[in-house]
Amino acid sequence: MKLTLQRRQVRVPDGRIGCVLVLPWFTDPERGVVRCDAAPLLVEWMSETLARGAGNDRVVELRAVPGGGEIGAGPSAAGVLSAVSWVGRDGGVGGFALVAHRDDGVASAAVSAAMGRWTALLRSRRLLVTDMPALCRGGRRAARMIDGMARAATRSDGGRVFVVGRPVTGAPWPTGWEQAGVVCVDDLDAVPDGAPVAFPAHGVPPAVRAEAARRRLRVIDGTCPLVTAVQADAAAYAARGDRVVVIGDRRHASLPVLTACAGPAAEVVHDVADVPAAARARDAVSFVIDPGMAVEDALPIVTALRDHVPELAGHHFDVLCDAASDRAQTIASVSSGSELTFVLAADERDPDVRVARRSARFPAVRVVTRLADLEAEPLAGATALGLVVTRSAPAGLREQVVAALAGLGPLTCRRRSVDTTPYPVRAAGPVEDAPAGGAVAERPDSLV
Ligand code: SF4
């Protein structure tokens, strides 16, 4: 990788005391127009630097200067432009440039120091980005059904469509649904008689289903077939008199629904530490796994349960969903292969942050909620970067971060996705053809 740096100072006819300009582009006399993709990030860094020091009364603006800062802009020029540019292996040119007034000593000193610090950050880097769908297959299926229902409702009577809960846990509300009249409600009390109502991918408790039938509501059932199968198994295990251990992640919306399907027989287990309490009685015990939990997280719990209850029964691998596993494995693959991983999220509580931290070989995992959270210091020694884009990441943040990193030296960017698919040992179909579940007439059942 060929990396060429040039620094030059020229006068420009723009620049005033009390102001530092960060240029979105400038003109280099030899290289022509130079894009400054990191400029929005540099505005943040410069603002923070000035706020902490003697320049806290200075303002920082992202703005081009007339002529792009060409040399020899005239004797009246009052601004001094400091610029650095590089040429990548493919001939692509990048760089950054700052302007301060020649008589503004504080701003000039800050620019000079920043140019030195930021130039030290320039290097070729590799960026590995998670490529995960916002919605799983079941979520997309439910979204399509709700979308179709909303169109039909709008066409026929201009009415609204009520969704009991979100289409799938943690996913963003699809764009355009609000305008299409799709309304999210917690229960059927908020649904007028005769209105169309949709059940989300993670389903609804049996009581809600029964209430909808009693009121003869127009129902579109978006429950994912895999969820339906697991819920049917839970109900069947309970019906034959077993205690039903429901293994699941407490943050997933399908867990309370699944628990409700097992009724009073349900005992929720979140991790291995919960197992001894759940296995205390000598009842017949069956387990079900909430689809929101990664299979790799659930299986140690099943093993621990079986240590306590050798006659443990439970549902078959056919009804386990790989979506949560694929998501976790994608994040693990990106963070374990990166010296520095940025997790784009609304805050630290996003569950994907925990997954990234758990799987990182290098300890540097940073949560980024906005562009200003990208810090210069960790970038100095890092060439292998990871970017985990969670469902809660603010819209547009991924593009901002990738552009900023591309402005700090030639960037090779790759996407990575883990996608578990059926291997045809015997007939296996897509999620729509999932087994019905609930066929558990007698014990012992198929053991995992
Ligand atoms: S079972 Fe899997 S595919 Fe279906 S809704 Fe849940 S996570 Fe999505």
Side-chain angles (χ1 to χ4, degrees):
M1 179 72 68
K2 180 177 169 232
L3 188 67
T4 307
L5 302 178
Q6 285 193 350
R7 299 181 68 174
R8 58 183 70 238
Q9 293 200 334
V10 294
R11 293 181 183 278
V12 295
D14 201 342
R16 54 189 163 83
I17 291 177
C19 177
V20 174
L21 297 182
V22 178
L23 275 53
W25 61 275
F26 65 96
T27 302
D28 181 277
E30 293 164 11
R31 294 174 174 158
V33 173
V34 177
R35 286 169 54 97
C36 308
D37 289 328
L41 177 61
L42 302 185
V43 169
E44 302 287 353
W45 287 352
M46 178 54 82
S47 300
E48 192 188 329
T49 300
L50 290 171
R52 278 194 274 109
N56 58 7
D57 56 346
R58 268 48 176 195
V59 296
V60 182
E61 293 180 11
L62 175 62
R63 176 156 63 86
V65 294
E70 291 160 320
I71 291 176
S76 63
V80 177
L81 179 145
S82 303
V84 58
S85 65
W86 73 85
V87 180
R89 178 172 169 270
D90 61 356
V93 178
F96 52 80
L98 303 173
V99 173
H101 194 282
R102 64 185 171 197
D103 297 328
D104 189 340
V106 171
S108 297
V111 165
S112 177
M115 291 300 293
R117 275 199 315 277
W118 299 347
T119 300
L121 297 181
L122 297 179
R123 62 174 61 206
S124 299
R125 291 188 173 90
R126 173 186 191 247
L127 178 66
L128 199 52
V129 185
T130 56
D131 185 15
M132 303 184 288
L135 294 176
C136 60
R137 290 186 180 90
R140 290 198 294 274
R141 175 179 172 275
R144 279 197 305 273
M145 295 168 78
I146 294 168
D147 203 40
M149 191 180 201
R151 287 173 204 274
T154 305
R155 272 201 308 273
S156 62
D157 54 16
R160 294 171 294 172
V161 172
F162 294 84
V163 180
V164 186
R166 285 190 166 267
V168 78
T169 307
W173 191 245
T175 52
W177 273 15
E178 214 166 307
Q179 292 78 6
V182 180
V183 181
C184 180
V185 295
D186 291 333
D187 52 48
L188 293 180
D189 291 348
V191 180
D193 285 338
V197 62
F199 295 160
H202 54 254
V204 294
V208 173
R209 202 172 282 277
E211 172 68 3
R214 188 190 66 75
R215 290 177 54 189
R216 298 179 185 279
L217 294 174
R218 286 185 284 153
V219 171
I220 285 284
D221 189 356
T223 308
C224 172
L226 284 173
V227 172
T228 301
V230 174
Q231 291 175 350
D233 280 352
Y237 295 147
R240 73 182 178 192
D242 286 9
R243 205 145 49 82
V244 182
V245 173
V246 182
I247 302 170
D249 186 328
R250 55 170 60 84
R251 292 166 301 230
H252 202 272
S254 62
L255 185 63
V257 182
L258 182 56
T259 305
C261 291
E267 181 113 27
V268 178
V269 168
H270 300 298
D271 55 42
V272 171
D274 298 334
V275 167
R280 64 188 178 280
R282 300 185 64 82
D283 310 336
V285 177
S286 289
F287 71 87
V288 289
I289 299 174
D290 175 45
M293 178 175 260
V295 176
E296 289 77 8
D297 291 338
L299 291 185
I301 300 174
V302 174
T303 301
L305 262 177
R306 192 179 296 127
D307 287 345
H308 287 78
V309 185
E311 311 79 27
L312 178 72
H315 57 192
H316 195 273
F317 281 119
D318 281 354
V319 295
L320 298 187
C321 175
D322 291 307
S325 290
D326 287 351
R327 193 168 183 86
Q329 294 300 320
T330 299
I331 295 169
S333 175
V334 166
S335 59
S336 66
S338 304
E339 297 165 290
L340 173 61
T341 302
F342 297 112
V343 184
L344 310 188
D347 55 44
E348 287 269 351
R349 290 170 299 173
D350 190 294
D352 288 345
V353 174
R354 189 169 54 95
V355 177
R357 291 221 161 98
R358 190 176 62 186
S359 45
R361 274 194 298 139
F362 302 91
V365 174
R366 308 286 167 129
V367 176
V368 175
T369 62
R370 58 198 176 103
L371 187 60
D373 291 343
L374 274 186
E375 296 171 311
E377 192 186 338
L379 280 167
T383 51
L385 307 179
L387 193 63
V388 174
V389 186
T390 72
R391 288 189 179 120
S392 71
L397 184 57
R398 173 181 53 187
E399 290 72 23
Q400 290 176 19
V401 169
V402 172
L405 295 174
L408 295 175
L411 188 70
T412 301
C413 198
R414 297 280 186 267
R415 288 182 294 189
R416 181 167 290 174
S417 170
V418 174
D419 186 14
T420 305
T421 55
Y423 182 80
V425 176
R426 56 189 170 85
V431 68
E432 285 80 3
D433 302 328
V440 287
E442 54 188 57
R443 305 184 89 254
D445 203 346
S446 50
L447 298 179
V448 172

